[in-house]
Amino acid sequence: SELFWKSMLNTLVFSVFTVSFRVILGLGLACALYSKLIKHKMLYRTVFYMPTVTPLIAVAFVWKFMFNPQIGVINQTFGFDINWLFDARTALGCVIFMTIWKDFGYAVVLFLSSLYSLPKDCFEAAAIDGASSWQVFRFITLPLLKPTTLFVVVTSIITYLQSYVQVMVMTEGGPGTKTFLATYLIYDQAFVKYNFGYASAISFIMFIVIAFFSALSFKITNANEA
């Protein structure tokens, strides 16, 4: 149906943006914390990781109030007059932004632990050869971090394909069906419209997709251990 393909497109857009920014922000901040330029590193690690361990439903409620057009801190602070969560142009973007803010700390911790485990002799050799900071990052750090990057990407895809809570709390799929993700469509069809056959069919498709990425995750993990 048209609604199914729309929800799959929304899920694709949601996953691409959340995974991409989770990896980019996680890697960038991990490299910044790994460098000698940043002081009070333990404080920043704690600040970045706190949203990750905070219950998603609580974070979603807080951001829902922040996006409120009348009393929300975003409109009040910047002088906007935007109904963020009920505007078709911004609703999905708000959900994506909240999800990125909550989850990028997970990637920071993983990348940071990987950076500390990298062999130091490679960097010492690069320094002796006169490599610039960008060359070291491009030709040494990134290739050595490839297993961690793949693990973060695959596990993030598995997580975000199952995203439901933030949509339920913040937009309830609205406005209209603009923020319908595949999992929310399953809920809507099964427990709102009682169309259990249709919901089961979508669930089976999502099971196949998630099983594929789960198998890929196990393969990457086993390859890293080998």
Side-chain angles (χ1 to χ4, degrees), residues 37-77:
L37 302 176
I38 303 295
K39 298 180 180 180
H40 310 296
K41 295 183 180 181
M42 288 301 298
L43 174 62
Y44 286 111
R45 292 178 195 173
T46 304
V47 170
F48 291 148
Y49 196 66
M50 279 184 63
T52 304
V53 297
T54 305
L56 177 56
I57 189 169
V59 175
F61 269 113
V62 170
W63 277 94
K64 181 178 181 179
F65 283 112
M66 290 175 65
F67 282 123
N68 187 284
Q70 281 80 39
I71 61 174
V73 66
I74 296 177
N75 278 2
Q76 294 289 333
T77 302

Side-chain angles (χ1 to χ4, degrees), residues 2 9 19 27-28 30 49 54 59 75 89 116 126 134-135 157:
E2 182 179 351
L9 178 60
V19 172
L27 179 57
Y49 196 66
T54 305
V59 175
N75 278 2
R89 298 168 297 179
Y116 280 111
W134 168 250
Q135 289 174 325
I157 291 173

Side-chain angles (χ1 to χ4, degrees), residues 81-134:
D81 185 21
I82 303 174
N83 198 348
W84 296 96
L85 298 178
F86 293 95
D87 189 324
R89 298 168 297 179
T90 58
L92 185 59
C94 291
V95 177
I96 291 172
F97 184 86
M98 185 281 296
T99 305
I100 294 170
W101 178 86
K102 184 189 182 305
D103 289 342
F104 76 89
Y106 168 82
V108 172
V109 171
L110 286 182
F111 280 122
L112 197 58
S113 62
S114 296
L115 284 170
Y116 280 111
S117 66
L118 296 181
K120 301 296 186 293
D121 54 343
C122 296
F123 298 97
E124 293 172 356
I128 294 173
D129 291 338
S132 65
S133 299
W134 168 250

